[in-house]
Every structure is written in structure tokens, then in C-alpha cells.
Amino acid sequence: MKRDQEYSGGCSSGGGGKGKMCWEETEQDAGVDELLAVLGYKVKESDMAEVAQKLVQLEQVMGSVQQDNLSFLANETVHYNPSDLSSWLESMISELNPPPQHDPFTTTSTYDDSSFDADLTAIPGKALLPQIEIHPPQSKRFKPSTTTTELSSSSSTMPVWCGGGGAYQSDSVSTRPRAESTRPVVLIDSQDNGVRLVHTLMACAEAIQQENMKLADALLKQIGFLAISQAGAMRKVATYFAEALARKVYRLYPSNPNDSAFTDLLQMHFYETCPYLKFAHFTANQAILEAFADKTKVHVIDFSMKQGMQWPALLQALALRPGGAPSFRLTGIGPPSHDNTDHLQEVGWKLAQLAESINVEFEFRGFVANSLADLDASMFDIRQGETVAVNSIFELHQLLARPGGIDKVLSVVKDLKPEIFTIVEQEANHNGPIFMDRFTESLHYYSTLFDSLEGCGGSGGELGPVSDQDKLMSEVYLGRQICNLVSCEGLDRVERHETLAKWRTRFNSAGLEPVHLGSNAFKQASMLLALFAGGDGYRVEENNGCLMLGWHTRPLIATSAWKLTG
Amino acid sequence: MGTNFFINDNQDVLIEILKRLDGRSLGVAACVCKLWCGIARNDSLWEHLCFRHVSQPQEGVRTVVLALGGYRRLYMVCVRPVLNRLRKWRPIGMESDSEIVRRVYWTRHEVELSLSLFCVDYYERVLLGGGGGGGGGGGGGRHGGDGARTTSLMFLCKAVNV
């Protein structure tokens, strides 16, 4: 037999030294079925027939076993006749629920539908085939020469082992139209599939890292099916990650979100749906307020101006402070806008109106910059006797994409001699050099984040469709981050989150020392979180003077405050 | 011969009585008649309600609150939901669950938080929302068919307009 020849061939070269052995092994690996390889079974394509025969034998034995401890195999197992594919398909279709509507974000709609059934049979595991894992053909029907050529409409990822049963595949061609019209969804046990979904996502990322795009493509299709079987947060996260992976595989990189107006809108919805941004603003404001105690001229420089949502609360707190309000100056930095409106000036004007109504002396200046690293300390016109505070909410990590960016910005901050420098960043390690690590970390991070979003949705559903829309926009906001994180590289990848520990090291070596956020900030933050419906899962933690907001046990964002040493 | 005492003729007495009511009762009182409605909408009553159990509120609070929309709105949009949520959150201690005894515990932190949220609400509603349609209560305004109008206080209870 062909197989014996190869075996002896392998043996004879086995003595030829380690290097040669390795080469033999990799050559042998080259012929294994790729889908079974994903599951950890290395089965050569030429061996498939034999494996199938053995499975048939095993099944026959199972059906007739009489021993006490194995009799359940005969009595309780359901035996399908694998050569009768059409009736098997029929029974599956009639048993199961009709398929749900496709999620608009799912990537399966972009895939080649003609290979639907091919991949249906290709899905490994109990989810699809309760008892049998592959279709063992009857040995009589085995025609080793027929492979994928029979099924010309399939894509190239058509698994070759199905070709081992080439003869009965041709039988199934006639049943194909029937199967296509009803499109059975065959995934039943969703908990099991949740685990499988995660593993498939990781396997796909691994395949991309190894530049094995064919495998990645096959896995992406499976992810599509598995994701549909999930519900809630897991489904949404999987869909976004699948989309990001697909972009990476097919090289459809997302254009950088230059539409800052849309990003601002998304962030507004995110601000409303869940407490992360509010937590960030309130804790930073508390630190700034304490730093401004007894000061009469204050100047805040905001790296993350957006809609200016942070400043009304600070203005109000300053208006009501015991000694009266100081004169307040705000400098806001924002990206260039693509319509002709001067977005920063509009925001500044609105804040000025608010300040006027509550009798706070206010002055605003806006700077447009493509990147924070383009700024210089001299631009800010710091006046005599002014107390300066610098504020950055989710902006610093974007500088890590450019070499030297963060150092430039930190030196500018130091030149400004601020009384306090407040920073809020995501608490995650998404900037490692290895793609797989970043992928795994971000999968966990965003799963937790989406879980927390499930609970937010307005108060007890009173607000109905409006809150659903807000939730959806928040998810899109996060989805963009996921897309950038997973599918972009180099200068385009701006979502380079790093943990608080890393930022601490960086700031310490840049000559900044931490300022402890006090108990007032902690109390206010705790109270704020208690107000959120579905907010039982949020936790505020204090970490060496910094405050972290997390969902259950996982910290998600961290607020810290800094000043110049000495 | 006795003189009938008609409360509507003695508005100062009415005001004194209304001052001692809780928010819900004040709302109900406003539904009695036009006179009562006018009196119940008087902002000073609501100011009294908001700060009843707090020691001397800081100076300048009134100016700020009035500028941002008044005490009645402050109560509706911020104070009432904040207290409702936080009362459930904070361990009540020896107080029974009886609804008859409903005491308003205000601490400095709750005051500050409510005022901050109120200010954010004003900013969003009046300045970011284009300046129109801010009336009609926080809850009503939110439903007004305009998908772009948003309010960050939607996470609090829907406000009831008196």
C-alpha cells in the first residue's frame, strides 16, 4: 500500500540525523488536512480513507457491544448512516429551528455562498454532527482520485477530506439545492459554542500571525456561523473581532477616521450610555479642583477637547467654591475638521455662555493640531501668576504610534510647569510586539467592556428605542477601536493602550511624580457609579493614589494625576 | 356665627404647609387648582425641599441653580433620582422599610454631585441641543422624535413634569 511505502521511507531517513528528521516531519506535516489540524489531529490526506474505515469498524463494534459497562454504547447512541447524506440532512433540517436573521455586521454575507454546504459539512465538532466527526465513506465507494475537482463551484478552501468520499458527494450534489433553500442552522448548544467561538477566533489570529491566509479564511467563515449562535455581548464582540480579522486577511484596511464630527457623536453616545467617560471627567475634575484651591488665576489645557463635556462641572464647582470663582482660562486642542466649521470655537463659545450664566470669568482659545506632538510650549502663552493644569482623556496612547511622540509631548508638558497633569487611559496591554498577545488581551478587554454595556441601557428600559440607539452607537464606537487595534499596523494603529504600571514607569523616568487622588474623588466616583442602573457590576478601586474603574474584577480605565518632581 | 376658613384666601398659610411636604405631595398639590399650581411652581418651595435637611447651603448656590434652570428642575432631574438611587444603595441603618418615614439625607457630596450633574444637563440641553425644546421636562424632551438630541442624565429616572 502506498501508506506502507511512505512509512518505511520515513523510517529509513530517520537515522539520518536530527536535521533531516525535522525536514521529513515538516514535509509530512505539509500533507495533513488543515481543518483537522486545527483540532489537533494530524491526519494525512492519503490516510483519510483508512481513518474512515477504522471509524466505520468502531461504529459497528459500538453498535454490538454487550459488556455491562459499555452496553450504553449500543442502547443509547444514535447511529447515522453516513452514506445516506440526503436523509441525514433532511432530519437535521426538520429537527432544528429556522435560522435567525443575519446580524448586519456579520461578515458571512461577504463570503462565497456557493460553498455554504461545503463548509457546513466542514465544521468540526459535536455542534454540527452529534455523533460522528467526519463522514467516513464506505470503503467500496472510495475513489481516491476524485477530490475537489468534482465540486467545481466550491472555493479553494473546500476541505480535501470530503473528496475522500467523492462518490457519495456526487450523490449529495442533487440534494444541495434543497439544503440551500432552507439553510439550516445547526448549532444548538450555545455554551459549548461560546468556547468554540473563542478558540476559533484565536486560531484565526494565530493563522494570520503565521501568514496562513487560507486557513484564516476558512476559520473566518466558521466564526461567522458560531457568532450567530451566541447572544448578547459575546455575539457583538465576536462580530467586531471577526470583521477586524477579515480586514486584516483581505487587506481592506479601514481608512483612518478623519471624520471627527462622527467620532465625536459616537463618543457622546458612549458618554451617555455608560459611566466610563463620566468617571474620567469627574475624577480628573476633582483632582484639578483640589490643585486649584486658593488660586485666583487658573488655566486649563485640554488635550481632548471634543465637545467640552468635562468643563461645565468644573466651572460649576469653581463657581461655588468658598472663596469665589477664579478667573478661568481654557485652551482646547482638537483635530482639524473636514467641513468648514470651526468646531473648537463653537465649543468654546458655548462654554463661555455657560460660564457667563454662573458668573465665572472665562476665556477660551482653541488649537487645531493633527497630533499632540506638533505642539510647543510657547504656543500656549502662559501668563504671569497663572496656575496651569493639563488634562488628557484617552489621548496619550495614540502618541505611541510615532517614535518620539510621547517624549515630545511630555517635555512640552514639563515646559508648561503645570500644577497638575491629569491623565485617564485604558487599563490594558494592547501594545505588545506580538500580534497574538495583543489579540488575546484585547479580546478579553472588549468582552468585559461589552458585558458592562449590556447592563446599561437607560433606566429599566423606560427610554425604549432611544436607549437602544445609544447603546448601538456606543458599540460602534468601541467597534472602531477594535478594528484599529486588530487590523491596522504601524502609524495607523493608534489604539495602543498600555497599563497604568507602564505609564507610571514612563512618567517617573520623564521627571513627573504622582499626586494622590483624595478620598473626595473616590466618594464622588462611587456615588456616581451607584446612580447607574445595572451598575452593580462597576467597581472603583484605589491603586497607589490612582483610581480605577472596572467591571467586576477587571479594571478597565485608570485615572492618575502627576506633577513635576521637586 | 362662624367664619369659614378657606385656604385659598390665606396663601401664606398655604405656602407654609406646602413647604413641609415632600416632592411627590408637592406635585400632587400642584394638580388641585390653578392657584395651587401657581404656588407650587414657586421655586423657593422647591429650594426649601432640596435643602431642607442640609445645614446652610453655600452662598452663591442659588444664583447658580437659578441660572441653570431653577430648583424645581434641579429637584426633578437630579435631586430626586439621586436620593432614590442612593437611598437604596447606602445601608439604611436602623430605619425600617416603612415608606411613611421618608427622610431626606443629604450630605455635602450628594449636593455637589447633583449640582455637577445639573450643570452638565444644562450644558447639553441648552447649549448642545441647539437651545430649543428644552422644556417639557427631562423625560418628555428626550422622547421628542429627534434622534440627535441626547442627554447624559438619561441614566437617571425619567423626570415627571408637574
Side-chain angles (χ1 to χ4, degrees):
Chain A
M1 269 176 69
K2 189 176 160 193
R3 183 180 146 270
D4 281 338
Q5 284 173 355
E6 280 189 79
Y7 179 74
S8 56
C11 267
S12 63
S13 61
K18 223 176 181 185
K20 213 169 170 208
M21 182 62 127
C22 292
W23 180 77
E24 288 288 336
E25 277 175 7
T26 50
E27 225 215 353
Q28 283 165 13
D29 274 359
V32 302
D33 174 67
E34 55 191 16
L35 284 161
L36 284 178
V38 169
L39 292 177
Y41 298 106
K42 291 202 173 150
V43 182
K44 293 187 61 154
E45 285 156 9
S46 49
D47 287 343
M48 287 294 222
E50 178 129 3
V51 171
Q53 280 175 26
K54 287 186 176 161
L55 278 171
V56 170
Q57 282 175 348
L58 176 64
E59 206 205 21
Q60 282 167 354
V61 168
M62 272 167 60
S64 57
V65 72
Q66 291 304 325
Q67 284 169 276
D68 282 325
N69 53 347
L70 291 177
S71 58
F72 67 91
L73 289 174
N75 299 334
E76 292 173 25
T77 48
V78 176
H79 296 257
Y80 293 91
N81 180 357
S83 57
D84 186 5
L85 188 61
S86 57
S87 60
W88 172 79
L89 271 176
E90 257 188 307
S91 65
M92 293 294 274
I93 292 164
S94 56
E95 259 177 54
L96 299 165
N97 302 324
Q101 286 303 315
H102 275 230
D103 186 316
F105 289 118
T106 197
T107 49
T108 54
S109 54
T110 62
Y111 296 133
D112 180 14
D113 282 357
S114 64
S115 60
F116 180 87
D117 286 333
D119 293 317
L120 191 67
T121 52
I123 296 174
K126 292 203 294 289
L128 174 59
L129 310 164
Q131 293 302 315
I132 46 178
E133 298 226 340
I134 59 174
H135 295 292
Q138 307 235 329
S139 48
K140 283 181 264 185
R141 297 221 197 171
F142 174 56
K143 287 181 191 170
S145 57
T146 58
T147 55
T148 58
T149 51
E150 278 206 14
L151 306 154
S152 52
S153 61
S154 314
S155 70
S156 60
T157 60
M158 168 69 183
V160 176
W161 58 261
C162 268
Y168 77 86
Q169 281 290 356
S170 59
D171 284 344
S172 78
V173 170
S174 57
T175 66
R176 183 160 301 187
R178 219 190 320 159
E180 268 177 358
S181 58
T182 48
R183 283 182 170 267
V185 170
V186 294
L187 305 168
I188 314 162
D189 180 359
S190 75
Q191 236 184 3
D192 197 26
N193 285 329
V195 174
R196 189 165 293 119
L197 176 58
V198 174
H199 285 166
T200 319
L201 278 166
M202 311 262 272
C204 186
E206 179 99 42
I208 290 174
Q209 181 166 280
Q210 292 165 357
E211 312 260 337
N212 186 350
M213 295 309 179
K214 271 181 61 174
L215 176 58
D217 183 47
L219 289 170
L220 275 172
K221 295 181 190 187
Q222 292 182 28
I223 291 170
F225 297 138
L226 288 167
I228 292 173
S229 78
Q230 296 301 299
M234 192 61 221
R235 174 183 182 149
K236 294 169 191 174
V237 173
T239 313
Y240 283 114
F241 272 94
E243 182 194 335
L245 287 170
R247 285 184 179 275
K248 204 160 174 100
V249 169
Y250 300 121
R251 292 171 211 244
L252 298 168
Y253 298 118
S255 54
N256 248 332
N258 285 328
D259 189 359
S260 57
F262 185 58
T263 316
D264 280 357
L265 179 69
L266 290 178
Q267 197 178 52
M268 276 299 284
H269 286 275
F270 184 67
Y271 180 84
E272 274 131 35
T273 337
C274 45
Y276 301 105
L277 278 177
K278 284 199 184 75
F279 171 84
H281 291 171
F282 276 55
T283 44
N285 282 345
Q286 192 62 34
I288 296 175
L289 193 63
E290 284 168 14
F292 282 173
D294 305 325
K295 305 282 193 286
T296 48
K297 282 173 68 175
V298 301
H299 183 181
V300 174
I301 297 173
D302 189 7
F303 285 168
S304 41
M305 193 63 198
K306 304 281 187 317
Q307 294 279 343
M309 292 299 294
Q310 183 173 353
W311 308 115
L314 183 64
L315 285 171
Q316 173 263 313
L318 287 172
L320 292 177
R321 75 173 187 174
S327 72
F328 187 88
R329 217 177 125 207
L330 177 63
T331 304
I333 318 246
S337 64
H338 287 254
D339 44 10
N340 284 328
T341 58
D342 191 348
H343 169 73
L344 280 174
Q345 278 307 120
E346 279 178 24
V347 172
W349 192 64
K350 287 171 180 167
L351 286 170
Q353 281 184 292
L354 174 70
E356 200 190 5
S357 356
I358 56 178
N359 293 330
V360 176
E361 206 183 309
F362 182 82
E363 202 186 311
F364 178 80
R365 194 160 169 202
F367 277 116
V368 164
N370 272 315
S371 161
L372 291 174
D374 296 337
L375 300 168
D376 268 320
S378 52
M379 290 178 185
F380 292 103
D381 183 31
I382 308 295
R383 297 170 193 162
Q384 271 291 8
E386 252 184 3
T387 311
V388 177
V390 183
N391 180 74
S392 156
I393 313 268
F394 299 143
E395 288 291 326
L396 287 187
H397 62 260
Q398 300 185 23
L399 294 166
L400 298 174
R402 284 167 62 155
I406 186 71
D407 298 317
K408 170 90 190 307
V409 171
L410 288 179
S411 72
V412 168
V413 169
K414 279 163 59 185
D415 286 342
L416 293 168
K417 296 191 182 42
E419 187 74 18
I420 194 159
F421 178 26
T422 49
I423 293 150
V424 181
E425 284 290 327
Q426 289 93 341
E427 175 65 12
N429 189 4
H430 296 160
N431 198 20
I434 304 173
F435 175 71
M436 254 326 270
D437 293 341
R438 293 201 304 265
F439 185 83
T440 320
E441 282 283 332
S442 57
L443 189 57
H444 287 128
Y445 181 83
Y446 284 100
S447 301
T448 316
L449 207 43
F450 271 79
D451 266 343
S452 72
L453 270 186
E454 287 296 302
C456 310
S459 46
E462 270 183 355
L463 301 173
V466 176
S467 67
D468 281 346
Q469 188 200 21
D470 269 326
K471 208 163 108 176
L472 179 64
M473 301 285 252
S474 312
E475 287 160 14
V476 173
Y477 174 76
L478 293 175
R480 280 181 153 202
Q481 289 181 6
I482 293 173
C483 216
N484 184 280
L485 214 151
V486 171
S487 62
C488 294
E489 277 306 326
L491 285 176
D492 286 334
R493 178 160 65 90
V494 293
E495 298 293 339
R496 296 181 181 246
H497 310 149
E498 289 198 345
T499 54
L500 181 61
K502 280 198 181 165
W503 287 112
R504 273 202 184 115
T505 323
R506 192 173 275 125
F507 291 148
N508 282 329
S509 57
L512 297 169
E513 66 180 24
V515 174
H516 279 224
L517 301 168
S519 60
N520 283 334
F522 186 88
K523 279 186 202 150
Q524 209 184 42
S526 311
M527 226 185 284
L528 178 69
L529 293 173
L531 292 176
F532 272 82
D536 295 336
Y538 293 111
R539 300 272 176 274
V540 183
E541 277 172 20
E542 192 263 351
N543 179 327
N544 275 335
C546 304
L547 287 181
M548 291 212 201
L549 172 61
W551 176 256
H552 291 119
T553 52
R554 166 84 209 231
L556 293 170
I557 63 175
T559 309
S560 54
W562 303 83
K563 65 179 184 202
L564 297 171
T565 43
Chain B
M1 58 179 192
T3 48
N4 289 334
F5 178 83
F6 193 39
I7 187 72
N8 283 2
D9 292 334
N10 300 35
Q11 287 180 22
D12 46 348
V13 176
L14 178 59
I15 289 171
E16 283 302 311
I17 295 171
L18 291 178
K19 257 190 198 171
R20 285 155 174 76
L21 293 180
D22 62 295
R24 191 177 175 279
S25 308
L26 206 47
V28 169
C31 303
V32 170
C33 65
K34 269 193 187 162
L35 175 69
W36 283 46
C37 187
I39 292 177
R41 281 174 184 257
N42 190 327
D43 222 34
S44 60
L45 275 178
W46 295 92
E47 177 183 358
H48 200 81
L49 176 62
C50 286
F51 290 105
R52 187 176 294 166
H53 292 279
V54 177
S55 60
Q56 237 1 314
Q58 303 152 280
E59 299 168 23
V61 172
R62 180 179 300 150
T63 330
V64 171
V65 173
L66 290 178
L68 298 178
Y71 281 97
R72 201 176 107 236
R73 189 176 169 85
L74 173 65
Y75 184 81
M76 296 299 191
V77 174
C78 297
V79 173
R80 193 180 61 133
V82 167
L83 289 181
N84 274 338
R85 297 277 176 97
L86 294 182
R87 198 180 301 136
K88 288 173 199 149
W89 169 68
R90 199 220 327 257
I92 304 249
M94 286 179 288
E95 237 181 330
S96 67
D97 286 321
S98 146
E99 283 300 306
I100 304 167
V101 180
R102 270 185 294 153
R103 292 209 277 159
V104 176
Y105 288 116
W106 261 120
T107 65
R108 186 170 60 90
H109 294 286
E110 279 149 345
V111 175
E112 284 170 6
L113 183 63
S114 297
L115 289 172
S116 295
L117 291 172
F118 191 51
C119 194
V120 175
D121 167 63
Y122 172 80
Y123 181 66
E124 263 189 317
R125 182 173 46 92
V126 178
L127 297 172
L128 292 185
R142 265 175 248 140
H143 277 290
D146 180 5
R149 255 190 38 94
T150 49
T151 162
S152 71
L153 294 190
M154 57 177 271
F155 67 96
L156 298 177
C157 301
K158 184 172 161 182
V160 174
N161 195 18
V162 176

